Every structure is written in structure tokens, then in C-alpha cells.
Amino acid sequence: MSRIDLGLPTLPGPQAPVRRRSTRRLRVGAVPVGGGTPVSVQTMTTTNTADVDATLQQIAAVTTAGCDIVRVAVPSADDAQALPAIVARSPIPVIADIHFQPRYVFAAIDAGCAAVRVNPGNIKRFDDRVGDIARAAAAARVPIRIGVNAGSLDPRLLAKHGTATPKALVESALWECSLFEEHGFQDLKIAVKHHDPLTMIAANRLLAQHCDYPLHLGVTEAGPAFQGAIKSAVAFGILLSEGIGDTIRVSLSADPVEQVKAGCHILQSLGLRPRKLEIVSCPGCGRLQVDIHRLAERVEAAFDGFPNPLRVAVMGCVVNGPGESREADLGVSCGNSKGQIFRKGEVIATVPEAKIVDALLAAALELTDGALTAAEPETEGGAL
């Protein structure tokens, strides 16, 4: 029988990994940044930094959510005095965020902070203190992050460009880097941020062409959780897919834990961080015979913090439900107020809608316990 040409396009092969931009490498405490190392997730505490216990509690919460590096604000002498205690007890590296007063930069270095973020646009006579800051940071091996924000751009550059254009943001960052370079200091990371994703993307693309410093990505003042997560995902997805970006922060008007979760999900979706929990769920349609939206929320809540990576399918009808459930580690295909529970492609039970979450959790525990048991080395009479 002759082969019929359907005129279909040739399917591409597996996508090659994104080639990361070549940058300098530095260390923020125990976390390597740049030079091809994994993209790290950051956030910033919202507590009064001088309240050491409250700040450490929030740091513990964001660490559990997957945060790699945390930044704390240092607007006052009381905050600066709290830094040694916070640094000593924090489970992840602490960056001091400095505005207006250069003396707090030296306090942060003396306190043992893993890095210091400075905003040249609003630090008094910052250019005059660069030499002193460079010498202190070099002696302590503390990297400096140059953070340029559209909302606090150097007035000289605003006068020149008229507004916070991509060129204005990049010019500010490179000018401040050059001042540090004059003193032989190059342990620098740069962030150029704007509330508009397209401006932020253009600024980072331009910056990537003109230096090899690691770049921190952020859509500043991105907005409430839903809007801000979308704006950040769009900007980060474009830049990271081009190999641009070494650390990220999702700047939401929301709890820092939610910022971290959003950042981790973005990296997981791009294949830049190992997946943990992934829920595959349908949007719903007129064929539904269960409350799929509520069910998906309950499954997500039940599996929050689950220690093993799993793909869980929560499907509402028989059209795509069985197929998606078979492809996932665990799944449920619903109909007639019941759910067929799948584990590794096999149907293991049919349960009422009210029992679906419990059944999935039980199957997950059996699955992961079995996997862990199988991976344990022999300790008696066998090689380790």
C-alpha cells in the first residue's frame, strides 16, 4: 500500500537545554550565583528587622517554601544592630538592603551579611563612598548588588533621559559598577527593575550585552498576587529562556511565602529547578459531574509541603481524564460523583467524591514509601 502524504509538518526533536549567559561567578554565603550555577529564588522580609524573633520566624517560613537567599531592610540604627543576631541564626544567606545612609553598608558587612544591596539613586553622596565600601567589602569577601529601580533612579539620569527608560536604567547600573571597578572590586551583581515587564525585559537584554556580571531579575511593584505573578512569569520566562538571569524575586503585594512559591513554580515550569508537586487539572466544562475546582483546591492543600516530587492529575470527566491520570504518578478521573484512582498508570480503586483526597494521599504515601524502601542500601551482608 502506498503511503499517503497528509502534508503534516515534521515534528521537532527534544528541545535542547537553554544555554545560559556566561557570567562571572560569586558567592552569596553558601549559595553560588552566576557562572552557570542554578538560578536561585529570593524574597524580602516584611517584618520590622529590629524585631529579631519575628524576622527569623518569617525567614524560617520562606526557607521552608524553597527560598535560597533572603533580603532584610535596614532603614535605621536599630535594624543595623539586629543584623548580627539575624545572620547568626538564619538558615539561609541574608542580604542587607540599604537605602539613604551609607554607614549602614559598613554595619551590614561587619555583621556578617552574605551580601549588601545598595541603591545608588537614593544613597546620599554614594559616589564619594564607593572606595570605602569597596575596600570593606573586599576585605570581608562580601559581594555588592547594585539595585537600580525605576522609582528611585538617579536624578541626573532622569534629567538626561526624561523618564526611566531601559537605557537610563542600564546607564545608571553600569556607571556605578565602573566606580567599583576603579577600585578593583568586581564581586558585583546587578538588578535593573521596572514595574512594566516590557521595559524590564528590554533593560535586562541591553545590560546583558554590556557586561558579564550576574543579573538579578525582578518586576518591581508588580502588584497584587494574581496580576504580579503573571507579569513576573512573563518577564522571567522570556529572559530565562534566553539564558538571561541568575537570581529572581517575584515582587508581589502578598506574603513573602507566596512570592517564593511563585518563583519556584516559574523555575520548575522552565525546567530550571526540579519539580516537586505538580497538579494537572482540567478547567471544567458542562460534562462535569463533580466540583472539579473545589476538588483541585483540596488536593493542592492536602499535598502542600509533600516531600517527594509528584505529578497528580485531577480530572473531571472521561474525555481526557483516564489518559491524563495514567500519565501522572497519581491521578483521579471523575464521573457520576465518584473517582477512579490511578497509581503509576493502573486503576487501584473507585471511591466516592468525598473520599478522593484521602485516597490520593494514601496512594501517595504507599508510592513514595515503596520508592524510598527500594532505594535503601543493604546494610547487612551486602555492599554499601
Side-chain angles (χ1 to χ4, degrees), residues 305-318:
F306 198 80
N308 301 89
L310 285 175
R311 177 179 283 114
V312 182
V314 182
M315 304 299 295
C317 78
V318 298

Side-chain angles (χ1 to χ4, degrees), residues 141-178:
R141 297 185 177 180
V142 172
I144 299 291
R145 179 181 132 193
I146 304 293
V148 178
N149 279 12
S152 52
L153 189 63
D154 190 314
R156 296 168 293 184
L157 291 169
L158 275 177
K160 176 181 177 180
H161 293 273
T163 188
T165 64
K167 287 184 178 180
L169 296 171
V170 171
E171 185 176 340
S172 176
L174 293 179
W175 166 252
E176 300 302 339
C177 287
S178 72

Side-chain angles (χ1 to χ4, degrees), residues 20-24 35-36 211-213 243:
R20 299 276 300 283
R21 167 176 166 265
S22 178
T23 74
R24 298 173 182 270
C211 74
D212 64 352
Y213 290 116

Side-chain angles (χ1 to χ4, degrees), residues 90-148:
S90 173
I92 56 177
V94 175
I95 297 177
D97 191 74
I98 310 296
H99 297 263
F100 306 115
Q101 294 293 344
R103 67 177 182 272
Y104 297 145
V105 175
F106 303 102
I109 292 172
D110 291 340
C113 288
V116 177
R117 183 271 178 123
V118 295
N119 187 340
N122 60 19
I123 292 185
K124 296 177 181 178
R125 300 182 62 191
F126 178 78
D127 294 357
D128 298 337
R129 303 302 303 273
V130 168
D132 295 335
I133 293 172
R135 284 186 287 273
R141 297 185 177 180
V142 172
I144 299 291
R145 179 181 132 193
I146 304 293
V148 178

Side-chain angles (χ1 to χ4, degrees), residues 19-268:
R19 183 173 181 178
R20 299 276 300 283
R21 167 176 166 265
S22 178
T23 74
R24 298 173 182 270
R25 180 181 297 191
L26 52 83
R27 297 193 71 85
V28 178
V31 178
V33 173
T37 59
V39 178
S40 58
V41 175
Q42 298 186 18
T43 191
M44 190 169 181
T45 57
T46 57
T47 57
N48 181 349
T49 304
D51 187 339
V52 174
D53 289 340
T55 301
L56 286 169
Q57 287 175 8
Q58 194 167 78
I59 291 175
V62 299
T63 301
T64 300
C67 188
D68 301 301
I69 301 168
V70 67
R71 188 156 42 107
V72 299
V74 189
S76 72
D78 289 342
D79 299 315
Q81 291 171 7
L83 288 175
I86 293 171
V87 169
R89 295 164 58 189
S90 173
I92 56 177
V94 175
I95 297 177
D97 191 74
I98 310 296
H99 297 263
F100 306 115
Q101 294 293 344
R103 67 177 182 272
Y104 297 145
V105 175
F106 303 102
I109 292 172
D110 291 340
C113 288
V116 177
R117 183 271 178 123
V118 295
N119 187 340
N122 60 19
I123 292 185
K124 296 177 181 178
R125 300 182 62 191
F126 178 78
D127 294 357
D128 298 337
R129 303 302 303 273
V130 168
D132 295 335
I133 293 172
R135 284 186 287 273
R141 297 185 177 180
V142 172
I144 299 291
R145 179 181 132 193
I146 304 293
V148 178
N149 279 12
S152 52
L153 189 63
D154 190 314
R156 296 168 293 184
L157 291 169
L158 275 177
K160 176 181 177 180
H161 293 273
T163 188
T165 64
K167 287 184 178 180
L169 296 171
V170 171
E171 185 176 340
S172 176
L174 293 179
W175 166 252
E176 300 302 339
C177 287
S178 72
L179 297 181
F180 278 95
E181 291 165 351
E182 289 177 0
H183 298 278
F185 189 86
Q186 294 184 317
D187 281 345
L188 300 169
K189 182 171 64 169
I190 308 176
V192 287
K193 294 187 176 183
H194 199 283
H195 67 270
D196 174 57
L198 296 179
T199 302
M200 176 267 193
I201 291 168
N204 279 277
R205 282 173 169 165
L206 184 61
L207 187 57
Q209 296 172 8
H210 286 86
C211 74
D212 64 352
Y213 290 116
L215 301 185
H216 172 78
L217 304 184
V219 178
T220 191
E221 291 93 40
F226 180 76
Q227 172 184 293
I230 291 175
K231 290 167 69 174
S232 298
V234 169
F236 295 176
I238 290 172
L239 289 169
L240 291 169
S241 69
E242 296 174 1
I244 298 172
D246 302 282
T247 64
I248 65 170
R249 181 198 176 190
V250 182
S251 299
L252 308 177
S253 297
D255 189 300
V257 169
E258 297 306 311
Q259 298 179 19
V260 172
K261 288 181 178 179
C264 289
H265 277 298
I266 290 170
L267 295 184
Q268 290 171 25

Side-chain angles (χ1 to χ4, degrees), residues 280 295 299 303 310-315 321-334 339-349 351 356 359-360 363-364 367:
V280 179
L295 179 59
V299 171
F303 279 84
L310 285 175
R311 177 179 283 114
V312 182
V314 182
M315 304 299 295
E324 291 285 2
S325 296
R326 288 193 188 94
E327 291 297 317
D329 298 303
L330 299 169
V332 58
S333 179
C334 299
Q340 270 192 329
I341 306 298
F342 289 74
R343 186 179 64 206
K344 288 296 184 181
E346 300 293 333
V347 177
I348 61 171
V351 299
I356 287 174
L360 287 172
L367 180 64

